Amino acid sequence: MPTRPDETRPILAQLRQRIERLERSSGRARDVLPFGLADLDRRLPGGGLALGALHEIAGGGNGAVDGAAASLFAAGIAARSKGKVIWCVTRHDLFAPALAQAGLLPDRLIHVECGDEKSLLACFEEGLRHGGLSAVVAEVARLPMIASRRLQLAAESSGTIGLALRRWRRQSEAADFGQPTASVTRWRVSVVPTEPLPVPGVGRPRWLVELIRCRAGDSADFEVEACDGQGYLALSAKVANRPAAKEIGRRFAVA
């Protein structure tokens, strides 16, 4: 007995969804969010930060100062994603005016306070699966492989970018940042001295941004000026004006 067309439509729709998920997981149909810096974007597969993927960000070795820079780096990425953003925390120290300076305005930000790391990871995953958000940021101390795989799959299913902002209460927890995870990229941000100005004043903050892991790509490090009001980085004048042959240091990333 022949199958009626209205009976096959749900099956075809399910098959299309499965194919789309497989394409996203293989990287063939993944959209990207460019940084707007050619030197940085060309080091990333597809020319930008992969959407529908999990990315890790941490501060360098200068405690709260570098941690704040890492938060602003994440805020700049979220600001450029053009949609509602969830920011999950376990501490009560998120400073909205600083995020706004990096382009992430309060009317786009949904602040979620969690009681512990377990609840935070659950909120992180639910936010990524929602499908109506442009980015989800979560301040996590530990990121086990199993949890990171769940987050990566959740991001792939919705196309939402996930930013795991690594923060530690104790220095001993920082060693967890070197453990394997399912994240597509891993970044480390450190504060460096600002460029001297020709007149008295404070220059634009500068960061050393290290891409220390990139799936299917190279690692690299960049000296950049901090995010502007739209979330964009800029090459510092010293780097931008030097000969192109003198590339910023790079090393091959372990995927």
Side-chain angles (χ1 to χ4, degrees), residues 68-122:
S71 297
L72 293 177
F73 180 74
I77 294 171
R80 290 184 285 108
S81 64
K82 309 302 182 186
K84 291 290 185 181
V85 176
I86 281 183
W87 197 298
C88 305
V89 299
T90 56
R91 307 185 196 184
H92 309 293
D93 59 357
L94 190 64
F95 191 55
L99 302 185
Q101 288 184 347
L104 187 56
L105 300 178
D107 60 350
R108 293 182 52 203
L109 184 63
I110 302 170
H111 183 199
V112 178
E113 292 186 1
C114 307
D116 52 34
E117 285 276 317
K118 184 177 180 180
S119 300
L120 184 139
L121 288 172

Side-chain angles (χ1 to χ4, degrees), residues 9-27:
R9 288 195 189 99
I11 298 174
L12 291 173
Q14 291 176 6
L15 287 172
R16 290 191 185 99
Q17 291 175 0
R18 291 182 63 184
I19 291 170
E20 289 174 358
R21 285 197 294 269
L22 289 171
E23 287 179 341
R24 281 198 294 266
S25 64
S26 66

Side-chain angles (χ1 to χ4, degrees), residues 13 35 152 190 230:
F35 280 92
Q152 174 64 22
S190 306
Q230 285 73 46

